[in-house]
Amino acid sequence: MRVTFTANGKPVEADDVWEGESLLYVLRERVGLPGSKNACEQGECGSCTVYLDDVPVCSCLVAAGQVQDREVRTVEGLADESGLDPVQQAFIDAGAVQCGFCTPGLLVQTHDLLEREPQPSDTDIREALSGNLCRCTGYEKIMDAVRLASARKCQKVGTSE
Amino acid sequence: MEFLRPATWDEALAAKAEFPTALPISGGTDVMVEMNFDVHRPSAILDLNRITELRQWEITDGVVRLGASVPYARIINELSEPLPGLALAAHTVGSPQIRNRGGVGGNLGGASPAGDAHPALLAAGRDVFVEVASAARGTRLIAIDDFYVGVKRNSMEKDELILRVHIPVADGPQQFSKIGTRNAMVIAVCAFGFALHPKNGTVGTGIGSAAPTPRRAVAAEEFLQGVLAERGLWESGDLLGAEVIQQFGELVKAAASPIDDVRGTADYRRHSLAVMARRTLTWTWNDYSKQIRSAA
Ligand SMILES: Cc1cc2nc3c(=O)[nH]c(=O)nc-3n(C[C@H](O)[C@H](O)[C@H](O)COP(=O)(O)OP(=O)(O)OC[C@H]3O[C@@H](n4cnc5c(N)ncnc54)[C@H](O)[C@@H]3O)c2cc1C
Ligand code: FES
Ligand code: FES
């Protein structure tokens, strides 16, 4: 079947999609957006997290046909012409990326957290990231990165007011 | 395989009538795992995401009518007051990403004994109904006590779909407790839901992951209701006493028929059910006492 939807603001079209195929497969293999990673295909690791109509979901658990006419935003859609998203920059600056396999999912999930709650407590951060597994970092640097992104975000808000 | 995308509820029922073996998909958090691992290949997939009614809830005459596809995240954010037990259970499901997609309709559709919505729905009382419909016969209400019929089996017909669940607005404290290895992403080793219903002088229980189906601890409910009525405790809000709490725990434990499996032994499940029963009873009763005292 054919599936058409919006990915990172642009219309995309995927052909010959198998009816049982996941959104993750379509993104990676059919529309050239391999940023979202496939690590478990069962919702356990969060490395495939994308926004579906502004709500973060595991793209491995969304059937491709379910995104017809809807909007998807992947890790590739976080940066814009002015550069990396502050969340991405914070992950680099805090040294929160080792092998990087978990990073795309963590970036999207963190981006959503800070949109909803610009100044989260450590408990809020742990809760928000509880569906994202990382086998390298031990999570401390990831916590640092989220706190850093939050601090920068709050500072920006502070100075613009 | 076909991919069916009905735009309305009537179209969905018509599609299910025409393709009775089509597999409905809502949040996909159960269905897609099976699809990705090739556990089974249905003849067709019936996507329910476009159907507005399934994503809505309303409260009329003291009853929440909860659309089958309202995701857990929204139950937590929007319905914690009228449905405290279900909201607590929802909070223990998977992870934020899973809670953004999965909902009660999918939990009921799968009817796993480990589904976390079930103990909360059972505890919410005997007036909880699953509203299902078919193109041929229209709508019917299935009482929650008649819904679960076997391991991963419910009492729905092949041509039926779940529209919503009717759950009375809480009129007393409710609790939910679950045993697992961490706070996120765990299938319950076992779970327990408990609710006080002061208006009609009843209590509700629900046991998860400790029998072939989710089930109620009937003898425990009857025992506690008897004690509360005889001693006038609903009116006084006085202490229950250790013996009552202990006995309640033992009766909940006796209602289970768990098995040994990878997540835990039958003995451990029985033990932890008694502990959860005592805890949830104590928490809810203490809350209730406080309400009585502050109203006096
Ligand atoms: C990583 C992970 C963690 C999880 N953790 C938990 C947990 O902690 N607790 C828990 O209870 N569950 C858990 N689950 C299982 C799952 O998230 C829940 O069962 C959820 O409620 C399913 O809802 P859904 O909308 O995603 O269902 P779907 O996958 O879309 O459907 C599930 C079943 O219900 C049927 N169905 C769906 N909607 C309808 C309808 N309207 N009418 C008729 N049939 C319907 C489908 O055909 C299918 O058989 C987890 C799953 C994953 C992947
Ligand atoms: S690949 Fe989707 S959650 Fe792991
Ligand atoms: S950096 Fe390797 S899995 Fe997280």
Side-chain angles (χ1 to χ4, degrees), chain A residues 1 18-20 22 40-41 43-44 49 52 55-58 60-61 65-66 68 70 109 127-128 130-132, chain B residues 1 3 5 26-28 32-33 35-37 41 45 47 49 91 95-101 182 184-185:
Chain A
M1 64 178 175
W18 173 57
E19 285 71 16
S22 70
C40 76
E41 286 197 294
E44 299 273 351
T49 304
L52 173 59
V55 177
V57 303
C58 297
C60 69
L61 299 184
Q66 293 185 294
Q68 177 68 38
R70 296 172 73 175
Q109 190 63 17
E127 160 105 30
S130 60
N132 293 76
Chain B
M1 199 188 289
F3 197 92
R5 299 184 62 244
S26 174
M32 286 306 289
V33 175
M35 212 67 72
N36 291 342
F37 287 81
R41 290 237 167 149
I45 298 178
D47 175 30
N49 274 191
H91 206 165
S95 65
Q97 291 94 323
I98 300 298
R99 297 194 288 272
N100 281 341
R101 289 290 288 166
R182 60 182 276 231
M185 216 61 110

Side-chain angles (χ1 to χ4, degrees), chain B residues 1-2 9 34 39 55 64 68 80 92 127 134-135 139 148 171 186 210 218 235 248 250 252 256:
Chain B
M1 199 188 289
E2 297 224 33
W9 178 240
E34 294 193 351
V39 178
R55 293 194 306 268
V64 181
S80 282
T92 74
D127 289 331
S134 64
T139 296
Y148 311 106
D171 63 319
V186 287
V218 178
E235 293 75 24
F248 179 72
E250 290 307 306
V252 168

